[in-house]
Amino acid sequence: MAASRHRPHRRIPLPARLKRMDARVAARINARTTGAASDGFWRGMTRAANHGKLWFGVAAALLVLGRPRAAVRGLASLGLASLSANVIGKRLIGGDRPALTSIPIARRLERSPTSPSFPSGHTASAAAFATGVGLEWPAAGAALAPVAAGVGYSRLHTGAHWMSDVAGGAAIGAGAALALRAVAPAVKPVVRRDPPTARMVGLPATETGEGVFLVVNSTSGRGLIRPAPGPLLRERLPQARIHELSDGEDASAVIQRELGSPSPPAVLGVYGGDGTVAAVAQEARAAGLPLLVLPGGTFNHFAKAALLDSVDAALGALAAGSGREVDVADLGFADGETRTVLNTASVGIYPSFVEEREKHEKRLGKPIAALVAAIRVVRRSSPLEVEIDGQRRQVWSVFVGVDRYYPVTVAPIERRRLDDHLLDVRILFAGGRPRTRGAVALAFGGRTDALVARLPFLQGPPALDARTVPEITIAARGEDPGYAHDGEASTATPGEPKRLTVRIRPGALRVYSPRA
C-alpha cells in the first residue's frame, strides 16, 4: 500500500516500527481478492456504525429485553469514548489517512473521511459500547465483541484507517468504559437462592459419632490449605469408626466389609469431594442408611446444595438429627451396572470445558475464562454422533443435572433445589452449525447464541437445547465417547452397545442437612 502523503506531519510522531506495521497490514489486506459480496458487507458495517446508529439500535433491543442498565451504560461509555477520540485524540495526535489511490476501488467508501486519522472513532465507539454493556451483562458483551471487532476491521478493509488507528481506538473505547465504571460501578445482580425444599425427616442423632462409620478421602481438595482431616474428626466424633482411604483403595469395598461386620453402622459418613460422596451415597442407598456428608473437596457442589458449607454445619445437623430426603439419579449401562448420580452426568466436551474454565477463572474472571475455555475445547475436539432417546444427532455435549440448574448455559453451576423430581438436560448441537456457534453457546448459553445467530455469517437454528425430563438415554454411534458424573470422568462406557440411561429417583437419599 502506498504511504500517506502527509503521514510524517502527525502532531505526535509515530514510531518507525509502528509505521512499518501499518504499511504491512494495509498491504496484506489490500492484496487480498475478497469479492463484491464481502466488500459490500464491510462497507455496510462501516455505514451502519456511522454516528453510532448501530449501537443505538442495539441499545433499543436491550431495552426491549429488559436490560436498561446495560443499554444506558453502553451508550454512556460510547459518548465518553467518542468525546475522547474525536475531540481530544484527533486534535492531539491526528495524522493523515491512507492514500486513496492504494485502496481497491470496490472497497472505497462513497464519501472519504476528511478528519484526522488517529484514533478511529468508529472503533472507539464500538469497543466502548460492547465493553460497557458487558460490565452490566457479560453474556451480551461477549456477543457484541465480534460485532465491535468487525466494525474495527471494516475501517481497515475500506481503507479509512491504519492498523494503529484502530488499535488506539479500541484502547480508548475500552478505557472509557472502565473509567466510567470507576465513577459509577456496575451493579451486580443479586441472584436469589431458594433454600432446599426437600422434605425434612428425622434421622439418628449423635454428638459423639456413636453408630457412625466415616470414610475419609484425605486426598480430596488437593491444593487447598486445610488441616489433616483425620485428627480433627476423631476429636469431634470420638465414638465414630473412621477409616482413612489409602491410595487406590475402593471406598465401596471398605463400606461393604463394615456393613458385614458383627456391629454394622447406623449411619454412613464421608469426608471428601463430590466423586467420593457419590460412591458412598450409592452404598448408603443400597443399605437403606442415612448419609452424613462432610465437605472436603475442592468445590463440594452437593454439600453446598444441601446447606452443608462446612464441617461444623454437617456435625450440627448430625447432633440435631436433622435431615432431608433428596433427589438423586441412576446412571445405568448396557451391562446392567448402575451408579448413583448426585449432581450431574454428561457426555462430550462438557467435562473438558469445565476443567479448562476453572484454570483461568481467578485470573480472567468467569465470563472471559468461559470464552477462552470454549474456544480451546471446541478447536481441539470433534462432534459426537449419538442417539438421544432414539433420535440420531450430532452434538458437542449432553449435560444432565439432577433437578434444575442455573443459569441456562451448557455448563450451569448452581443447583437451587433438591426436590424438583426431574432431570435438567442441556444439549449443545453441532450438526450444520459453525464451530464459532458451538463455542459461544458453550461459554454463554442460549440467549447469547440467539443473538449471535442473527449475524450474517453465523445464522442458523439454535445451538443449545434445554429441556426437563424424568429419563434420557444416550447411545454412541461411533467410537466410545466416554462419560462423566459428579466430577469423575471415564473414557470407556461399560457394556455393549455403548449406551447410558439417566433416570431421576425422587427423594431416594436421606442426607443430614440443617434447617434453612
Side-chain angles (χ1 to χ4, degrees):
M1 181 178 195
S4 171
R5 289 170 293 176
H6 304 293
R7 192 168 174 76
H9 299 300
R10 280 178 180 261
R11 293 172 180 83
I12 298 178
L14 194 69
R17 185 173 60 179
L18 288 183
K19 289 182 183 179
R20 291 193 296 270
M21 178 201 72
D22 280 347
R24 285 196 302 269
V25 171
R28 186 168 299 177
I29 291 174
N30 290 332
R32 293 173 57 213
T33 301
T34 51
S38 176
D39 293 338
F41 174 79
W42 293 116
R43 286 200 310 273
M45 179 161 278
T46 275
R47 286 195 300 269
N50 284 345
H51 310 296
K53 290 181 295 185
L54 171 62
W55 309 118
F56 281 102
V58 175
L62 291 172
L63 290 175
V64 172
L65 292 173
R67 297 283 185 160
R69 290 189 62 89
V72 170
R73 184 173 291 277
L75 292 177
S77 301
L78 182 153
L80 180 58
S82 181
L83 177 68
S84 302
N86 295 311
V87 177
I88 300 174
K90 289 184 182 294
R91 290 184 179 181
L92 286 180
I93 300 176
D96 288 342
R97 296 176 185 264
L100 189 61
T101 55
S102 62
I103 313 300
I105 294 176
R107 299 184 184 181
R108 296 179 190 176
L109 299 173
E110 292 83 352
R111 298 180 61 182
S112 299
T114 57
S115 60
S117 184
F118 185 93
S120 166
H122 281 67
T123 308
S125 296
F129 186 85
T131 304
V133 169
L135 292 174
E136 291 287 349
W137 188 9
L144 290 173
V147 183
V151 169
Y153 175 75
S154 75
R155 304 305 284 170
L156 299 173
H157 193 88
T158 58
H161 282 286
W162 304 95
M163 182 64 193
S164 59
D165 301 335
V166 171
I172 289 172
L178 296 174
L180 189 62
R181 182 182 65 172
V183 177
V187 176
K188 186 175 182 180
V190 177
V191 178
R192 181 176 63 87
R193 179 185 176 186
D194 297 328
T197 56
R199 187 168 72 90
M200 298 295 299
V201 293
L203 299 177
T206 173
E207 293 185 4
T208 61
E210 183 180 2
V212 175
F213 179 68
L214 180 63
V215 174
V216 176
N217 184 358
S218 56
T219 63
S220 295
R222 286 177 177 170
L224 299 179
I225 300 175
R226 56 167 63 126
L232 172 65
L233 295 175
R234 289 185 175 88
E235 178 184 346
R236 299 290 298 274
L237 299 173
Q239 291 186 280
R241 297 197 295 274
I242 298 175
H243 181 95
E244 294 192 53
L245 296 172
S246 58
D247 286 343
E249 189 173 19
D250 182 17
S252 297
V254 170
I255 292 171
Q256 288 171 13
R257 285 198 302 269
E258 189 67 22
L259 291 172
S261 68
S263 55
V267 175
L268 288 181
V270 54
Y271 175 97
D274 287 308
T276 308
V277 173
V280 178
Q282 178 152 328
E283 299 303 322
R285 287 181 62 200
L289 298 179
L291 180 66
L292 171 66
V293 178
L294 304 175
T298 304
F299 298 105
N300 306 307
H301 293 299
F302 178 76
K304 290 176 181 176
L307 298 184
L308 302 170
D309 294 319
S310 66
V311 170
D312 286 339
L315 294 182
L318 176 65
S322 170
R324 300 177 190 275
E325 291 181 341
V326 305
D327 296 346
V328 297
D330 282 339
L331 175 61
F333 304 98
D335 64 355
E337 181 182 352
T338 301
R339 299 178 188 175
T340 294
V341 179
L342 295 180
N343 302 307
T344 65
S346 63
V347 170
I349 64 176
Y350 167 78
S352 299
F353 166 70
V354 173
E355 181 181 3
E356 188 73 27
R357 182 185 66 188
E358 288 168 352
K359 291 179 183 177
H360 307 288
E361 276 184 14
K362 290 185 179 179
R363 181 168 54 91
L364 300 177
K366 184 159 289 180
I368 302 300
L371 182 59
V372 170
I375 292 172
R376 290 184 176 180
V377 170
V378 168
R379 181 182 296 170
R380 65 178 181 236
S381 304
S382 297
L384 303 175
E385 295 286 346
V386 298
E387 283 187 4
I388 301 175
D389 293 336
Q391 186 176 8
R392 186 179 303 184
R393 306 307 297 258
Q394 190 176 51
V395 303
W396 289 110
S397 71
V398 181
F399 164 94
V400 184
V402 180
D403 298 327
R404 288 189 179 93
Y405 273 72
Y406 300 85
V408 183
T409 63
V410 180
I413 58 176
E414 183 181 7
R415 176 184 180 182
R416 298 184 188 173
R417 296 174 64 96
L418 296 166
D419 65 342
D420 280 329
H421 303 345
L422 48 78
L423 301 173
D424 190 341
V425 178
R426 314 287 171 87
I427 304 173
L428 182 58
F429 293 114
R433 298 162 182 82
R435 284 178 180 259
T436 304
R437 288 283 303 281
V440 169
L442 180 61
F444 301 110
R447 290 184 179 178
T448 302
D449 175 64
L451 292 172
V452 172
R454 298 172 187 172
L455 298 177
F457 47 90
L458 291 176
Q459 289 179 348
L464 175 63
D465 175 63
R467 64 182 75 167
T468 54
V469 297
E471 178 179 322
I472 185 171
T473 298
I474 306 164
R477 294 192 58 81
E479 61 182 85
D480 186 356
Y483 68 96
H485 81 94
D486 295 320
E488 302 294 323
S490 174
T491 57
T493 305
E496 290 292 342
K498 299 303 181 183
R499 182 183 68 233
L500 57 87
T501 299
V502 188
R503 298 182 181 88
I504 192 69
R505 297 303 188 197
L509 178 67
R510 293 178 297 154
V511 60
Y512 284 92
S513 173
R515 293 185 178 275

